[in-house]
Amino acid sequence: MKIFTRKSEVKEFLSIQKKSKNSIGFVPTMGALHQGHLSLIKRANKKNDITVVSIFVNPTQFDNKEDLDKYPKTYRNDVALLESVNCDVLFFPSVEEIYAENITSEKFDFDGLEHQMEGKFRDGHFNGVGTIVKTLFEIIEPDTAYFGKKDFQQLQIVKKLVEKYKLLVKIKGRPIFREEDGLAMSSRNARLTKEHREAAPFIYKTLKKARKKFGIKNAKELTEWVEKQFEEHPFLELEYFTIADEKTLQTITEVGANKKYRAFIAVFAGDIRLIDNIRLKNN
Ligand code: AMP
């Protein structure tokens, strides 16, 4: 695997690949890699000639300094994992290489997608995401980029970014990878205390129960039911639960025909914020 820390070097290497008509699959990450990341990389490998992974903990998408400072960093292990799945290129830039002196975000209009859910609770988060994804796309110029549905709102926002800026990259959303007990894999899981780690599968269990009740209870009743489950929980604190339209990400009050819905959740386990979501079936 080739490892580049400089934009100019990765660009030069990839321009040679492009001249040889090799297709480029790209998986942006913040490192502390797990099977969820590896599933995206394996998919990129299967569908492209060259797979590029970036590891960059993007400061402008963090609204919480402690979360940024304590974000897990496992570089040696990440490199070993990337080699084990035959990744071709790792791009591992410094903050200065990406932002120079000016660590700020561009301001984006994602047609309102940015104001829902994570956008309400993480100030400036999607401006940070838009800034880094656009920058990385400009450097790598991938044919296809792969994103997890774990961050479903981010996936929809990246699709909107590509549409608005007419970028020549295809965006693929991939399924959520889970631990055996159902907890969605996340780099932040490593920071959970033993108690919180044991409690955390409750999040997906509740989502699955909510999916069963969808169509029997209306959206408001279901939201209240989920809120009640967490009120009674000793270790987990609900930040939000909402049922939203997959396309607009707006909270629904009624179920319409020919629409796709998802339930979205954010929960604090101590200081660690966990998110998850589940596709709902219209009954
Ligand atoms: P991150 O390193 O958390 O920024 O994630 C990098 C990419 O991996 C994003 O597209 C995430 O949505 C995706 N990802 C993270 N966790 C999972 C998971 N459990 N299953 C599938 N994809 C994931």
Side-chain angles (χ1 to χ4, degrees), residues 28-31 34 36-37 39-40 71 146-151 154 174-177 184-187:
T29 82
M30 299 205 295
H34 51 64
H37 297 115
S39 72
L40 300 177
Y71 199 83
Y146 299 83
F147 290 83
K149 291 185 185 175
K150 158 94 189 329
D151 303 282
Q154 170 176 279
R174 302 291 301 159
I176 303 175
F177 260 63
M185 288 187 182
S186 162
S187 305

Side-chain angles (χ1 to χ4, degrees), residues 48-281:
N48 299 275
D49 300 310
I50 299 281
T51 298
V52 181
V53 171
S54 61
I55 295 181
F56 182 67
V57 182
N58 175 36
T60 64
Q61 73 188 66
F62 284 78
D63 60 328
N64 175 335
K65 180 149 182 348
E66 189 181 337
D67 189 29
L68 171 62
D69 291 344
K70 292 196 175 158
Y71 199 83
K73 290 175 190 75
T74 57
Y75 180 72
R76 278 162 154 264
N77 193 50
D78 289 352
V79 169
L81 284 174
L82 290 173
E83 293 198 316
S84 77
V85 292
N86 298 319
C87 174
D88 300 293
V89 174
L90 168 60
F91 181 46
F92 181 59
S94 65
V95 172
E96 297 72 48
E97 181 68 10
I98 295 294
Y99 286 102
E101 317 276 78
N102 186 22
I103 307 177
T104 53
S105 313
E106 231 180 276
K107 303 272 178 289
F108 291 92
D109 172 1
F110 293 121
D111 293 346
L113 294 179
E114 72 277 27
H115 301 312
Q116 307 300 326
M117 301 184 291
E118 293 298 281
K120 281 188 192 149
F121 290 92
R122 299 185 71 189
D123 195 25
H125 174 64
F126 288 117
N127 282 329
V129 169
T131 302
I132 188 60
V133 171
K134 187 160 161 274
T135 303
L136 289 170
F137 283 175
E138 281 160 6
I139 298 167
I140 307 295
E141 296 185 50
D143 295 284
T144 311
Y146 299 83
F147 290 83
K149 291 185 185 175
K150 158 94 189 329
D151 303 282
F152 193 86
Q153 186 172 13
Q154 170 176 279
L155 168 67
Q156 299 300 63
I157 280 184
V158 171
K159 285 183 180 166
K160 184 64 80 179
L161 176 86
V162 167
E163 180 192 311
K164 287 216 152 184
Y165 288 84
K166 300 191 170 57
L167 305 178
L168 297 172
V169 50
K170 287 194 282 300
I171 304 300
K172 300 281 183 194
R174 302 291 301 159
I176 303 175
F177 260 63
R178 299 182 178 281
E179 302 290 350
E180 261 174 34
D181 57 17
L183 176 63
M185 288 187 182
S186 162
S187 305
R188 289 185 178 88
N189 292 351
R191 293 187 51 216
L192 292 169
T193 63
K194 189 167 168 287
E195 262 170 357
H196 287 129
R197 175 63 190 83
E198 280 168 9
F202 183 78
I203 300 168
Y204 184 53
K205 283 204 185 97
T206 308
L207 283 182
K208 281 198 295 188
K209 284 190 189 158
R211 179 173 59 184
K212 275 204 175 143
K213 291 180 189 290
F214 182 68
I216 303 167
K217 285 183 186 289
N218 68 33
K220 185 166 171 279
E221 287 165 345
L222 196 46
T223 306
E224 284 166 1
W225 178 82
V226 170
E227 285 167 356
K228 186 152 182 295
Q229 305 312 300
F230 281 90
E231 270 162 28
E232 289 164 5
H233 199 288
F235 296 114
L236 303 174
E237 196 189 324
L238 182 67
E239 185 171 57
Y240 68 77
F241 170 86
T242 188
I243 297 173
D245 182 302
E246 275 200 358
K247 253 204 137 64
T248 64
L249 301 181
Q250 290 192 13
T251 298
I252 64 157
T253 46
E254 273 175 37
V255 176
N258 302 323
K259 297 217 165 170
K260 289 183 180 168
Y261 300 113
R262 251 171 212 269
F264 296 86
I265 196 164
V267 171
F268 275 98
D271 298 339
I272 313 300
R273 191 172 178 278
L274 302 171
I275 58 168
D276 202 347
N277 67 80
I278 194 167
R279 174 81 197 277
L280 300 172
K281 293 195 191 85

